[in-house]
Amino acid sequence: MVRGGSAERIDGGHVTENFFSLLRVAPKLGRDFTAADNRPEAERVTILSHAMWESEFSGDPNVVGRTFRLNGRLATVIGVMPSEFQFTRDRLWIPMFNEYPVG
């Protein structure tokens, strides 16, 4: 992740669009991934963990729609997970097939 000119390694996960719904959790802010987000040609989007939202974005309630550089490409924040949700050490999630196209 790059913000403000310096790079930082962030633990994140590549997930399918139904990942959060299967776990029966929804973003606290913004929206969940859709099938359209999970396509190779789609704009890169990300959902932040609550901890990352607080530490990297100062808990800004207007974070949805903001962009930052992630693995060399711009990513738009579409959601923030609730504080109760923790999945491994992941601090953000991006659609799997947007990053790794099948075929």
Side-chain angles (χ1 to χ4, degrees):
M1 175 180 142
V2 177
R3 282 189 335 110
S6 62
E8 176 184 351
R9 182 169 174 82
I10 301 291
D11 289 321
H14 296 94
V15 299
T16 58
E17 68 270 9
N18 60 351
F19 175 74
F20 294 115
S21 63
L22 286 172
L23 296 176
R24 298 182 184 200
V25 63
K28 167 186 175 163
L29 295 175
R31 67 172 178 87
D32 201 343
F33 295 124
T34 66
D37 295 325
N38 208 16
R39 300 178 57 83
E41 68 276 3
E43 175 185 342
R44 178 178 272 183
V45 293
T46 186
I47 296 177
L48 307 175
S49 70
H50 195 271
M52 182 164 173
W53 173 58
E54 287 183 327
S55 68
E56 301 298 323
F57 296 92
S58 303
D60 179 2
N62 298 310
V63 71
V64 173
R66 288 186 52 187
T67 61
F68 62 95
R69 194 158 296 281
L70 182 62
N71 294 337
R73 293 174 42 202
L74 283 180
T76 301
V77 176
I78 62 166
V80 176
M81 295 309 289
S83 59
E84 310 81 47
F85 181 76
Q86 294 180 5
F87 190 81
T88 63
R89 293 176 23 189
D90 291 345
R91 297 186 65 210
L92 60 79
W93 298 268
I94 60 174
M96 180 180 298
F97 300 120
N98 179 269
E99 183 78 9
Y100 301 107
V102 175

